[in-house]
Amino acid sequence: MDLRAATPNDVEAIRSVARASMNDSYGHAVSESVLSGSIDEWYDPSELAADVDSSRTVFPVAVDDGEVVGFAESYVVDRRERVGEIDWLHVHPDHRGAGIGHRLLARVEETLRDRDVDRIEGRVLAANESGTRFYEEEGYDHTGTEEITIDRETFRELIYTKRLDETHPTLESEPYTDADGETVYVDFEDSERGSTGPFFAAYRDPDHEDRYGYLCGNCEGLDVTVDTLDRLECADCGNRRKPTRWDAAYL
């Protein structure tokens, strides 16, 4: 089994691994139609090809006898610190238990270290015992819990973090001014993934209690629209929020 960087030619194989992996992990809990629709949205071929080809993305694949059997996707977000966020870590069900997930994570960590990341962050549903155990075995600490909705049902999502660099300078939180002259305070610890940069939560008060909306991390614009399906788009640069994922470890 070898590891290498993903290429656009791997897109269909990556989609196939993701589908098999998620069906194995969630087929007992989520309907087939919901799974299929979610996979089609999260792994849109054109967007996946753009991710694979992006210099911002860390995207190794595991190859066994010429076949892609696992992959990981991560990217860097500048918050108060420089954070490597793990979007996905999938291993095909037929190849689980062979240490492929550990090797993929090691490759991601090595690359993120080279990019001066302060810490790495992954998210796992509390019900995914193999995923939580995986991060704990790799030295990650449980640092937070959030709630997400899947098919109208609420699940607990655990945040796991590993620190890499204690000395990297932090990104200061500074107030911004919108087009109407209103002062806006940005929380760089609360971000959503975008197509060309993250979206950061913005508030009308420095205590982050009165929500304003979002700051676009690509162009620092505040003209960010949110539709009824919670899709985000920056009117200034076209940055769009990537579809949210349920989990970051399918091993």
Side-chain angles (χ1 to χ4, degrees), residues 72-203:
E73 180 180 2
S74 179
Y75 64 104
V76 177
V77 176
D78 285 310
R79 302 181 186 173
R80 289 182 183 273
E81 298 176 303
R82 194 166 171 84
V83 181
E85 293 192 358
I86 299 173
D87 256 11
W88 304 105
L89 205 168
H90 279 289
V91 175
H92 193 285
D94 293 344
H95 294 266
R96 292 178 179 178
I100 295 174
H102 295 280
R103 291 186 60 183
L104 284 166
L105 182 60
R107 176 64 61 87
V108 168
E109 290 183 357
E110 178 185 7
T111 306
L112 291 174
R113 284 180 188 274
D114 291 341
R115 298 188 183 185
D116 295 326
V117 163
D118 296 292
R119 71 175 190 267
I120 302 175
E121 186 177 284
R123 297 167 182 257
V124 183
L125 294 189
N128 183 350
E129 295 181 0
S130 63
T132 58
R133 185 168 58 250
F134 170 77
Y135 278 113
E136 290 166 0
E137 289 174 352
E138 290 290 340
Y140 284 71
D141 297 318
H142 174 213
T143 55
T145 302
E146 294 182 353
E147 290 188 347
I148 62 171
T149 300
I150 302 172
D151 195 23
R152 297 183 295 278
E153 185 175 353
T154 300
F155 293 82
R156 285 195 310 130
E157 184 180 56
L158 309 182
I159 302 171
Y160 281 90
T161 302
K162 176 185 280 190
R163 297 204 63 85
L164 299 181
D165 184 356
E166 300 288 346
T167 62
H168 195 281
T170 61
L171 182 64
E172 295 296 332
S173 177
E174 296 182 359
Y176 288 76
T177 303
D178 69 6
D180 296 324
E182 181 178 358
T183 299
V184 177
Y185 300 86
V186 178
D187 182 357
F188 287 104
E189 290 301 308
D190 185 356
S191 67
E192 300 284 351
R193 183 182 183 185
S195 55
T196 56
F199 291 97
F200 298 104
Y203 297 83

